[in-house]
Amino acid sequence: SAVEKPPEPAPQPLVSEERRGALSEALPGYLRNPAPVYPRLARERGYEGTVLLEIDVLVSGRPGTVQVRHSSGYPLLDDAAVQAVRRWTFRPAQRGYTPVSLTVELPIRFRLVDGSASLD
């Protein structure tokens, strides 16, 4: 079983330069969300990889659509990342003082060295 470790600092979401230049809001922020669970079967089979998710962060801070933009190569890892992020809450992006929806990309890395899933 994996040992719990303190959360790593949250990365900044990836937003295209074109999109960033057109918007004057703060990017959505990550609150204290649990890392994805590293599936036991994936650990036993030696699966590692990074999945890149595309997330529509809604005005409410909840994720709307969560899609795999680039697979880790293993559906078990991809599914674990998607399921975890669907339960997350974000601090929504803002334009001035008004919350706005924004689509971001988020890489999640599964590594066997420490048996964890983390945000890249």
Side-chain angles (χ1 to χ4, degrees), residues 7-8 10 22-23 39 42 48 53 56 63 66 70 73 81 83 90 93 110 114-115:
E8 296 179 14
L23 299 173
E48 291 184 304
L53 299 179
D56 293 327
V66 179
H70 187 278
Q83 292 308 313
F90 296 83
F110 290 86
D114 55 10

Side-chain angles (χ1 to χ4, degrees), residues 88-111:
W88 285 9
T89 302
F90 296 83
R91 185 176 52 247
Q94 291 186 326
R95 182 173 289 124
Y97 294 105
T98 305
V100 295
S101 297
L102 187 67
T103 300
V104 297
E105 292 180 345
L106 176 68
I108 297 180
R109 181 173 43 166
F110 290 86
R111 294 182 6 184

Side-chain angles (χ1 to χ4, degrees), residues 34-58:
V37 173
Y38 207 132
R40 183 181 52 81
L41 186 58
R43 285 194 321 257
E44 290 172 358
R45 291 182 178 175
Y47 295 170
E48 291 184 304
T50 300
V51 57
L52 181 63
L53 299 179
E54 183 175 272
I55 307 157
D56 293 327
V57 179
L58 304 176

Side-chain angles (χ1 to χ4, degrees), residues 2-82:
V3 175
E4 293 280 330
K5 65 179 190 177
E8 296 179 14
Q12 289 299 311
L14 305 174
V15 178
S16 71
E17 287 300 318
E18 174 186 319
R19 180 91 173 151
R20 184 173 299 158
L23 299 173
S24 61
E25 74 266 9
L27 295 173
Y30 301 102
L31 301 176
R32 292 201 175 267
N33 293 303
V37 173
Y38 207 132
R40 183 181 52 81
L41 186 58
R43 285 194 321 257
E44 290 172 358
R45 291 182 178 175
Y47 295 170
E48 291 184 304
T50 300
V51 57
L52 181 63
L53 299 179
E54 183 175 272
I55 307 157
D56 293 327
V57 179
L58 304 176
V59 172
S60 66
R62 300 295 302 164
T65 304
V66 179
Q67 300 181 78
V68 175
R69 179 115 165 129
H70 187 278
S71 174
S72 65
Y74 302 102
L76 279 172
L77 300 181
D78 297 349
D79 291 345
V82 168

